[in-house]
Amino acid sequence: MEVESEKSGSDGKVWSFCRMPFWQTTHTPSSSSSSSSMSYNMHNVHQQNQNNLQSVDRSGQHSSTTVLSVAKSLLPTKRRLRLDPTNKLYFPYEPGKQVRSAIAIGNTCKSHVAFKFQTTAPKSCYMRPPGGVLAPGESIIATVFKFVEPPENNEKPIDQKSKVKFKIMSLKVQGEIDYVPELFDEQRDQVAIEQILRVIFVDLERPSPALDKLKRMLAEADAALEVRQKPPEEKGPRVAGEGLVIDEWKERRERYLAQQQVEGVDSV
């Protein structure tokens, strides 16, 4: 009897378990939550992939810009000006005196180009002219003035060195305009450094090709300066005052008035 009761009890448990509907099991909420978490994770993965792609695009653009800038820096700069001498300024060595050097500057572009001098010693050096605007193909000879410091420790002229340097900058401009130094400040991005010039001293007592060339260029610079300072020749009749023309008719009028005065005296 006890065995039968135990069997009936176990059968009741089994039957009660079988009567429970399968959709009331405890696994249903967990499946819904797992599906929602899976969709959320997939959304995060998609968003992360998009962010990675955008970062890759930005890094690619930055790298391409960096490569272009590096390539431009490696390419040789196209010169707008032709300089003679190319990278040196020769000065006669005369300690305690102000000496001169000269440099020819020519425009090699098809447009007008402005140039400007700069120096590391503005108190003891200056340029004439300090800047200007050159037409296509135009060239000038600029004069550079420098005070030569006396030697230290009894150095010889050939051993005397100068730390002063000069810089020539260029800027393309639109047409023929008046030169003002502010041009290089307003268009700083378009300014190009043409050359850094070092100072070289030459001995006046030792003839050399550099000294002969310096003397010749200084003579040309002085002649060009004299031409620029000379007033332009007047063409046609000379004008004095407001519209008074001085030419032959004035002399004729003076002779006529003098003759009238003589005839008046005779009649009296």
Side-chain angles (χ1 to χ4, degrees):
M1 295 296 290
E2 292 179 357
V3 174
E4 291 179 355
S5 63
E6 289 177 358
K7 289 182 178 179
S8 62
S10 61
D11 293 341
K13 291 181 180 180
V14 173
W15 175 249
S16 64
F17 177 77
C18 294
R19 285 187 301 172
M20 292 178 64
F22 67 91
W23 57 82
Q24 291 182 359
T25 59
T26 58
H27 296 287
T28 304
S30 62
S31 63
S32 61
S33 61
S34 63
S35 62
S36 61
S37 63
M38 184 179 296
S39 62
Y40 178 74
N41 292 332
M42 291 178 65
H43 177 72
N44 289 339
V45 170
H46 180 68
Q47 187 68 28
Q48 187 176 2
N49 291 336
Q50 287 184 348
N51 294 336
N52 292 335
L53 290 175
Q54 291 178 358
S55 62
V56 169
D57 292 340
R58 287 194 296 268
S59 62
Q61 293 177 359
H62 178 71
S63 61
S64 62
T65 305
T66 305
V67 170
L68 288 176
S69 61
V70 172
K72 288 183 179 180
S73 63
L74 294 177
L75 290 175
T77 305
K78 185 177 180 181
R79 303 295 181 185
R80 300 168 181 167
L81 301 176
R82 181 181 61 255
L83 306 178
D84 184 24
T86 56
N87 57 359
K88 298 176 183 178
L89 281 176
Y90 294 94
F91 289 89
Y93 185 76
E94 296 182 80
K97 295 183 179 180
Q98 187 182 65
V99 295
R100 296 188 304 161
S101 181
I103 181 171
I105 306 173
N107 182 6
T108 61
C109 296
K110 296 181 180 180
S111 61
H112 287 70
V113 173
F115 71 91
K116 180 182 178 180
F117 270 105
Q118 280 188 345
T119 178
T120 57
K123 293 183 178 180
S124 61
C125 304
Y126 68 95
M127 291 68 67
R128 188 177 63 191
V133 178
L134 298 177
E138 184 182 3
S139 62
I140 65 167
I141 297 180
T143 308
V144 186
F145 296 82
K146 175 180 170 35
F147 179 79
V148 181
E149 298 290 342
E152 298 179 359
N153 301 325
N154 296 324
E155 290 181 342
K156 296 181 180 180
I158 194 172
D159 298 329
Q160 178 71 10
K161 297 180 181 180
S162 176
K163 297 181 180 179
V164 178
K165 293 182 180 180
F166 296 86
K167 179 169 65 175
I168 298 181
M169 300 179 295
S170 66
L171 173 66
K172 284 188 177 182
V173 295
Q174 298 294 330
E176 187 175 358
I177 61 175
D178 294 333
Y179 169 78
V180 289
E182 290 74 16
L183 285 173
F184 289 81
D185 297 331
E186 297 171 356
Q187 306 180 37
R188 189 171 300 175
D189 297 338
Q190 305 298 325
V191 175
I193 299 177
E194 292 289 332
Q195 190 60 263
I196 303 295
L197 304 171
R198 296 187 300 112
V199 173
I200 302 296
F201 290 112
V202 293
D203 192 354
L204 293 176
E205 298 179 357
R206 298 179 181 178
S208 63
L211 181 60
D212 295 339
K213 184 177 181 179
L214 174 61
K215 292 180 179 180
R216 183 176 68 255
M217 293 185 68
L218 287 175
E220 294 178 3
D222 293 339
L225 179 62
E226 185 178 356
V227 171
R228 289 196 300 268
Q229 293 179 347
K230 186 178 180 180
E233 297 181 358
E234 298 179 355
K235 298 180 180 180
R238 293 174 298 170
V239 179
E242 297 181 358
L244 180 60
V245 180
I246 303 175
D247 55 5
E248 294 182 359
W249 71 266
K250 182 180 179 180
E251 298 178 359
R252 293 179 182 179
R253 182 175 177 79
E254 291 177 353
R255 288 197 299 268
Y256 173 77
L257 292 176
Q259 185 176 1
Q260 291 294 326
Q261 290 178 0
V262 171
E263 292 179 355
V265 171
D266 293 342
S267 62
V268 172

